[in-house]
Amino acid sequence: MPNNSLDVAALLDTLDVNLKQLIQDRYLSNPLMIGIRTGGVWVAQALHTRLAITEPLGLLDISFYRDDFSQIGINPNVKPSHLPHQIDGRNVILVDDVFYTGRTIRAALNEIFDYGRPAQVILAVLLERNGRQIPIRPDCYGASCHLEPGQRIKLTGPAPLALHLETIPAIG
Amino acid sequence: MTKNIQLNAEGKLKHFLTIDGLSRPLLTEILDTAESFAAMAGNQVKKVPLLRGKTIVNVFFENSTRTRTTFELAATRLSADVLNMNIATSSTSKGESLLDTIRNLEAMHVDMFVVRHSLSGAAHFMAQNTAPHISVINAGDGQHAHPTQAMLDMFTIRQHKPDLTDLRVAIIGDILHSRVARSQIFALTTLGVKEVRVIAPRTLLPAKVETLGVTVCHDLQAGLQDIDVIITLRLQKERMTSALLPSESEYYKCFGLTQAKLKLAKPDAIVMHPGPINRGVEIDSSVADGPQSVILQQVSNGIAVRMAVLSMAMQNSGEAR
């Protein structure tokens, strides 16, 4: 994967354009934006400003909703989710940093639906990569990329935001 | 070194039976995890799916209101299924042994026992004799231990006084019969407080209590000097088998916490009590309901701390499956 595609500012520009188009196509008035901790919140903050959304950003911590709890245990520093507004009937833009297996999004949707019944949820991510494990995919993204087995991409932030490509040593 | 039955092969909490023998990092992990759950209490939705599909049995051989209800709330907020065994109406009253009760509950494919018993060591006995995938949580055994109560007390103290190593803590009253006091002493000393001071008449102190690392005082007025945290204890009349006190009114006069005596501690001292309170015996109503009292916060925190313990123990119980 070429390194220039890891330029976060350029990815945000593309995502911004794609998201605005999607909002127009789907007639999404007065959308509510929700970022998934931690990286998704950083991306959401940037988009929130660019789209000039006035309502405060919703923050979602999906740690308690993960399906791999019995394997990895709980992170003792889970921050509370903060969804400031009624979810019922709203158009929700859910934002994450890197889309990979889809499991994080499944957990996030479960949590959102515990709070109410949104009219629509669309998923915007900075970067989509290969490796989906369930039938969930983003509605718009800044870029899509293909990683080799053992490669991983991670967003660090909040200032500056940067994407890092890492190679994980093979296990066992 | 003998293996601590409370820990699994990786040194993680599997059973929670006593504070004694647990490390400071482990106690801190419980408090930190509880912090995350405490923050959820303000959410519209107070329930998370962490323990969905798991079955927790509350096996209470002894009465309890706060402990059983907060354990039940903790389990249901983690989405576990909860079975409350009312032992008064169970087969135990028909002569079934504890071991047979355990075998029968195991046969119902449960995942965790929360047990309260009037005999010291009952929870330990269950942990030793139960199937390897089942976790046992001690909700109070005889005069031995009540570890989740001690941890919710530590959590409440930490909310008000974040640096525990700087604190002088007084525990006042019936230390002799109190499993809560024993667990608190282990927790406070493990977490490194500056001083744990026990204040009680000689008849209500266990022999050689100083060996637990506490200082001993028999005079409440003198004992409250420089104290940051005051823990009052219930006079456990139901466990008193001999005449340990002249009368309740005399006890109140000497060891009851009143507004006037409270002034002898540090001005920002907090007042705690594990409940149930005997108003006008160990504590005056105006203190129990006063601005320095955190007694009801202890109850709220009980839910978060028990959620932390249940989820940590459940998560670490799978190795032997």
Side-chain angles (χ1 to χ4, degrees):
Chain A
M1 199 183 68
N3 258 341
N4 56 9
S5 65
L6 293 180
D7 177 1
V8 174
L11 293 179
L12 275 173
D13 288 341
T14 312
L15 178 57
D16 181 24
V17 170
N18 291 343
L19 185 57
K20 278 174 180 153
Q21 187 60 47
L22 189 67
I23 289 170
Q24 205 179 345
D25 294 347
R26 298 251 202 128
Y27 305 106
L28 296 183
S29 58
N30 188 27
L32 174 65
M33 189 172 277
I34 298 175
I36 301 175
R37 281 191 214 276
T38 309
V41 171
W42 299 332
V43 177
Q45 278 161 344
L47 289 174
H48 194 256
T49 315
R50 286 166 182 245
L51 279 101
I53 297 175
T54 47
E55 269 184 309
L57 191 63
L59 311 174
L60 210 55
D61 193 316
I62 54 111
S63 303
F64 293 139
Y65 283 77
R66 293 181 66 106
D67 59 6
D68 51 1
F69 157 70
S70 57
Q71 289 135 47
I72 61 161
I74 34 175
N75 162 8
N77 294 307
V78 182
K79 305 275 190 303
S81 291
H82 183 61
L83 299 180
H85 301 280
Q86 286 290 327
I87 295 283
D88 286 326
R90 295 298 303 274
N91 296 314
V92 172
I93 303 173
L94 182 61
V95 182
D96 204 2
D97 48 2
V98 179
F99 181 91
Y100 176 22
T101 63
R103 288 175 192 270
T104 300
I105 305 305
R106 189 198 76 110
L109 288 172
N110 283 353
E111 182 161 5
I112 288 174
F113 278 76
D114 273 354
Y115 281 81
R117 183 182 185 277
Q120 293 191 49
V121 181
I122 59 170
L123 176 61
V125 300
L126 192 61
L127 192 66
E128 180 204 46
R129 58 157 292 186
N130 54 313
R132 276 196 310 134
Q133 294 174 350
I134 47 176
I136 288 177
R137 59 169 26 139
D139 294 294
C140 63
Y141 44 76
S144 179
C145 68
H146 184 91
L147 298 190
E148 299 304 321
Q151 284 189 319
R152 177 171 76 165
I153 204 153
K154 199 172 165 9
L155 182 71
T156 56
L161 287 177
L163 280 164
H164 300 277
L165 186 63
E166 299 167 349
T167 305
I168 320 161
I171 304 162
Chain B
M1 202 180 93
T2 50
K3 188 174 173 286
N4 188 336
I5 187 180
Q6 303 193 88
L7 307 177
N8 70 8
E10 286 103 53
K12 303 262 191 190
L13 192 74
K14 183 190 172 188
H15 304 293
F16 195 39
L17 309 174
T18 172
I19 305 281
D20 188 15
L22 298 182
S23 66
R24 190 190 293 197
L26 182 63
L27 298 190
T28 306
E29 188 189 343
I30 294 173
L31 297 177
D32 291 345
T33 307
E35 204 93 58
S36 309
F37 289 118
M40 279 172 44
N43 286 3
Q44 271 176 57
V45 180
K46 295 179 176 61
K47 197 171 171 125
V48 291
L50 272 185
L51 300 188
R52 201 176 47 192
K54 304 288 185 186
T55 306
I56 299 177
V57 194
N58 283 330
V59 200
F60 277 59
F61 294 89
E62 201 186 60
N63 291 337
S64 160
T65 320
R66 254 165 306 276
T67 304
R68 195 188 60 70
T69 48
T70 50
F71 260 115
E72 185 173 351
L73 265 182
T76 51
R77 286 190 182 169
L78 294 167
S79 303
D81 294 310
V82 186
L83 177 64
N84 285 310
M85 290 273 295
N86 188 351
I87 298 299
T89 59
S90 80
S91 300
T92 306
S93 56
K94 299 179 188 167
E96 185 174 82
S97 75
L98 184 54
L99 213 48
D100 282 329
T101 306
I102 296 170
R103 292 286 166 267
N104 278 276
L105 289 169
E106 278 173 5
M108 298 175 201
H109 305 290
V110 304
D111 300 285
M112 184 180 276
F113 295 134
V114 175
V115 59
R116 167 169 286 195
H117 203 290
S118 56
L119 291 177
S120 301
H124 197 273
F125 176 82
M126 286 182 84
Q128 273 176 322
N129 289 285
T130 192
H133 68 276
I134 295 180
S135 287
V136 178
I137 309 293
N138 185 2
D141 62 329
Q143 297 174 21
H144 172 237
H146 193 353
T148 56
Q149 174 71 44
M151 290 314 291
L152 75 88
D153 294 332
M154 298 308 113
F155 186 85
T156 309
I157 294 172
R158 201 174 76 161
Q159 270 184 332
H160 290 270
K161 320 254 175 203
D163 182 10
L164 293 185
T165 61
D166 204 29
L167 299 181
R168 294 182 195 277
V169 181
I171 305 176
I172 307 168
D174 188 356
I175 316 277
L176 178 63
H177 298 100
S178 178
R179 55 192 173 209
V180 174
R182 274 176 190 69
S183 289
Q184 284 167 338
I185 290 169
F186 283 121
L188 288 165
T189 50
T190 305
L191 291 170
V193 298
K194 202 185 274 173
E195 183 189 354
V196 182
R197 201 178 295 171
V198 295
I199 308 173
R202 283 170 215 280
T203 50
L204 292 181
L205 280 172
K208 299 195 174 143
V209 67
E210 342 44 78
T211 57
L212 297 177
V214 301
T215 51
V216 180
C217 181
H218 302 297
D219 181 290
L220 182 56
Q221 259 114 326
L224 284 173
Q225 301 288 331
D226 304 320
I227 288 296
D228 301 280
V229 176
I230 305 169
I231 301 174
T232 51
L233 295 173
R234 183 173 68 89
L235 207 53
Q236 302 203 19
K237 286 170 282 188
E238 75 279 12
R239 293 189 212 272
M240 291 188 189
T241 49
S242 57
L244 299 174
L245 292 171
S247 73
E248 274 182 19
S249 60
E250 188 160 333
Y251 179 79
Y252 177 68
K253 209 177 287 170
C254 297
F255 291 96
L257 188 65
T258 58
Q259 292 279 13
K261 288 180 202 152
L262 178 56
K263 289 203 174 75
L264 301 169
K266 283 197 184 164
D268 62 346
I270 55 170
V271 176
M272 305 172 70
H273 192 300
I277 304 175
N278 290 319
R279 289 171 185 266
V281 180
E282 66 264 359
I283 186 165
D284 186 73
S285 269
S286 65
V287 177
D289 305 328
Q292 284 167 269
S293 165
V294 297
I295 295 172
L296 291 176
Q297 291 168 38
Q298 290 174 267
V299 179
S300 305
N301 290 338
I303 300 170
V305 167
R306 288 176 175 128
M307 286 172 83
V309 170
L310 293 178
S311 53
M312 285 170 70
M314 194 73 87
Q315 167 205 326
N316 301 326
S317 66
E319 46 153 1
R321 250 179 230 271

